[in-house]
């Protein structure tokens, strides 16, 4: 199973709403990532979790709050978003370096298309 | 700061042509380089990953090369098909620095259209 799943596929929310994006993988990967992708632009890294600990926060506004409850699951909690936060949110996972099997290849989920009204 | 550039930005070819996509990066201290494919509104599919110590990788009709010293990589697609139409992204990971995860810097992508 080389699949990363993301739910929901689409999300429309108002600026006062609280919602969460969910990402799941069962490949035994211990690094998980959140990216944001605007139309016709490349993905931009937001957060990295390594062994369930937050390792990178790319100066993301606090209205985005990541959570990694276990090694298979990654959440992104959203609160008080702005219309400019509308984008495709991608989750990815990878083996830790040194794992010896296809290290470092990042496997991406299909994304959640978020629209903030 | 690492910068990744992809040329051309868009490419339209007839079916059956062999084609080359280019990727260049400014900092040669990379750990690896990865080529991805993205269909409209979808996630990224990893095509090939080349470690910094490698010169090329092949998968089916795809061949990726890496010249780390000159900061360049190419993705060669043989006998192109309409199903190859997508955006192709290259991404470099900086030197590992002891971390267990990869921080990627992406190029802007090349939009490929293969027409029948």
């Amino acid at each position: 199973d080389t699949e990363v799943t993301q739910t929901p596929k689409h999300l429309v929310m108002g600026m006062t709403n609280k919602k969460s994006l969910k990402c799941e993988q069962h490949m035994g990967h211990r690094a998980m990532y959140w990216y944001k992708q605007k139309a016709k632009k490349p993905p931009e890294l937001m957060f990295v979790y390594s062994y369930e600990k937050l390792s990178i926060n790319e100066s993301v506004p606090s209205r985005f709050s990541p959570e990694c409850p276990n090694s298979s699951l990654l959440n992104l909690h959203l609160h008080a978003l702005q219309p400019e936060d509308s984008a495709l949110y991608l989750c990815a996972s990878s083996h830790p370096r040194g794992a010896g099997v296809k290290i470092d290849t990042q496997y991406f989920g299909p994304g959640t298309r978020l629209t903030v009204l | 700061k690492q910068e990744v550039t992809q040329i051309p930005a868009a490419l339209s070819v007839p079916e059956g042509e062999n084609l080359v996509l280019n990727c260049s990066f400014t900092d040669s201290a990379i750990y690896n380089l990865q080529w991805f494919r993205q269909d409209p509104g979808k996630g990224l599919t990893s095509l090939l990953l080349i470690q910094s110590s490698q010169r090329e990788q092949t998968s089916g009709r795809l061949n990726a090369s890496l010249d780390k010293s000159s900061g360049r990589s190419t993705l060669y697609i043989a006998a192109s098909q309409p199903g190859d139409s997508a955006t192709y992204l290259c991404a470099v990971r900086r030197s590992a620095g002891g971390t267990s995860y990869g921080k990627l810097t992406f190029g802007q992508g090349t939009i490929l259209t293969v027409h029948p």
Side-chain angles (χ1 to χ4, degrees):
Chain A
D1 182 8
T2 57
E3 189 179 22
V4 177
T5 59
Q6 289 187 244
T7 55
K9 290 184 179 179
H10 301 276
L11 178 63
V12 180
M13 59 187 291
M15 290 190 285
T16 58
N17 292 154
K18 285 185 182 180
K19 296 287 184 184
S20 296
L21 309 184
K22 179 180 172 182
C23 172
E24 200 161 1
Q25 57 85 17
H26 296 286
M27 294 179 277
H29 291 174
R30 301 304 295 275
M32 296 187 77
Y33 312 77
W34 279 116
Y35 289 86
K36 173 182 177 179
Q37 187 178 27
K38 302 283 277 185
K40 300 189 188 303
K41 296 290 186 183
E44 295 178 354
L45 183 66
M46 300 174 71
F47 302 104
V48 180
Y49 273 83
S50 177
Y51 293 92
E52 296 84 70
K53 287 186 169 50
L54 183 64
S55 299
I56 291 181
N57 177 339
E58 291 287 88
S59 303
V60 179
S62 60
R63 56 185 185 268
F64 295 91
S65 176
E67 178 196 21
C68 189
N70 60 58
S71 59
S72 299
L73 191 57
L74 184 67
N75 298 319
L76 186 62
H77 303 297
L78 314 172
H79 173 56
L81 294 194
Q82 304 296 311
E84 59 265 28
D85 297 321
S86 298
L88 181 68
Y89 287 84
L90 295 164
C91 173
S93 69
S94 68
H95 272 293
R97 186 172 67 92
V101 284
K102 270 200 168 180
I103 57 172
D104 248 13
T105 298
Q106 290 195 17
Y107 294 87
F108 281 76
T112 293
R113 175 70 61 189
L114 174 67
T115 302
V116 182
L117 301 176
Chain B
K1 179 186 173 186
Q2 178 74 272
E3 292 184 4
V4 181
T5 304
Q6 290 187 244
I7 294 173
L11 183 62
S12 181
V13 299
E15 181 176 7
E17 273 206 7
N18 302 324
L19 55 98
V20 174
L21 308 181
N22 297 291
C23 172
S24 61
F25 46 94
T26 54
D27 185 350
S28 62
I30 67 168
Y31 187 64
N32 60 45
L33 182 146
Q34 199 165 354
W35 282 94
F36 293 91
R37 167 191 172 131
Q38 186 173 31
D39 294 292
K42 305 290 187 182
L44 279 67
T45 300
S46 178
L47 299 174
L48 291 164
L49 182 147
I50 311 177
Q51 300 292 351
S52 61
S53 58
Q54 297 175 321
R55 298 282 295 184
E56 65 177 333
Q57 283 283 340
T58 298
S59 176
R61 294 182 294 109
L62 305 179
N63 175 277
S65 67
L66 175 65
D67 184 343
K68 199 172 92 160
S69 60
S70 67
R72 292 180 184 176
S73 175
T74 61
L75 179 67
Y76 175 82
I77 303 177
S80 58
Q81 303 170 357
D84 295 331
S85 298
T87 297
Y88 289 80
L89 294 152
C90 73
V92 298
R93 176 185 158 161
R94 66 183 181 192
S95 290
T99 62
S100 60
Y101 48 84
K103 182 175 177 179
L104 299 179
T105 302
F106 283 86
Q108 296 288 323
T110 293
I111 302 172
L112 173 64
T113 304
V114 181
H115 48 88

